[in-house]
């Protein structure tokens, strides 16, 4: 993700579809979104134009349709958003916030094993207390 790329919650819904499909048309996105939200086709097309303008999507014309492809990778985009969030909160609260996220998330057994391994490695060099950086 390009530093500074800000994606709204509505744009995230569009991006998730494009990331899943790899490439898609506005009609496909509209069809998928209409199962979830009551947006007019013009709303979806506006979101697509914004995402193209932001550099998150590319578009090419194919006949009467436009094909949309992601220009930013899903995982790196999510990582950047998470980094931005955790860089904006007090370091003293990061542990509690991470605990809340883990508690609320649906995780696979592999996810949990990776988290346990990461925490085990971090424990070796972790300070006893994290100071407030406000």
């Amino acid at each position: 993700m390009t530093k500074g790329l800000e994606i709204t919650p509505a744009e995230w819904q569009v991006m998730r579809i494009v990331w899943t499909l790899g490439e898609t048309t506005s009609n496909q996105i509209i069809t998928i979104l209409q199962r979830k939200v009551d947006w007019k086709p013009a709303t979806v097309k506006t979101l697509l134009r914004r995402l193209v303008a932001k550099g998150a999507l590319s578009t090419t014309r194919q006949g009467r349709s436009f094909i949309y492809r992601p220009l930013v990778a899903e995982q790196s985009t999510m990582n950047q958003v998470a980094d931005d969030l955790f860089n904006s909160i007090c370091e003293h609260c990061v542990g509690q916030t991470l605990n809340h996220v883990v508690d609320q998330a649906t995780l696979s057994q592999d996810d949990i094993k990776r988290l346990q391994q990461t925490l085990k490695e971090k424990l070796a060099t972790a300070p006893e207390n994290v100071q407030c950086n406000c």
Side-chain angles (χ1 to χ4, degrees), residues 75-94:
Q75 189 61 57
S76 64
T77 303
M78 290 187 297
N79 290 350
Q80 186 61 55
V81 169
D83 290 346
D84 291 347
L85 170 64
F86 284 101
N87 287 334
S88 69
I89 63 176
C90 175
E91 285 183 7
H92 183 72
C93 299
V94 168

Side-chain angles (χ1 to χ4, degrees), residues 115-132:
L115 282 168
Q116 288 173 324
Q117 182 60 37
T118 300
L119 290 170
K120 182 179 177 183
E121 291 168 7
K122 288 195 75 71
L123 183 60
T125 59
E128 191 162 321
N129 293 300
V130 176
Q131 298 302 311
C132 174

Side-chain angles (χ1 to χ4, degrees), residues 14 17 21 24-46 48 68:
V14 173
I17 293 167
L21 298 177
T24 186
T25 65
S26 59
N27 287 336
Q28 289 172 309
I29 295 169
I30 290 165
T31 299
I32 293 167
L33 283 173
Q34 284 180 333
R35 293 182 210 143
K36 297 168 50 174
V37 292
D38 187 29
W39 291 346
K40 304 240 183 282
T43 301
V44 176
K45 290 178 182 180
T46 297
L48 287 165
Y68 295 91

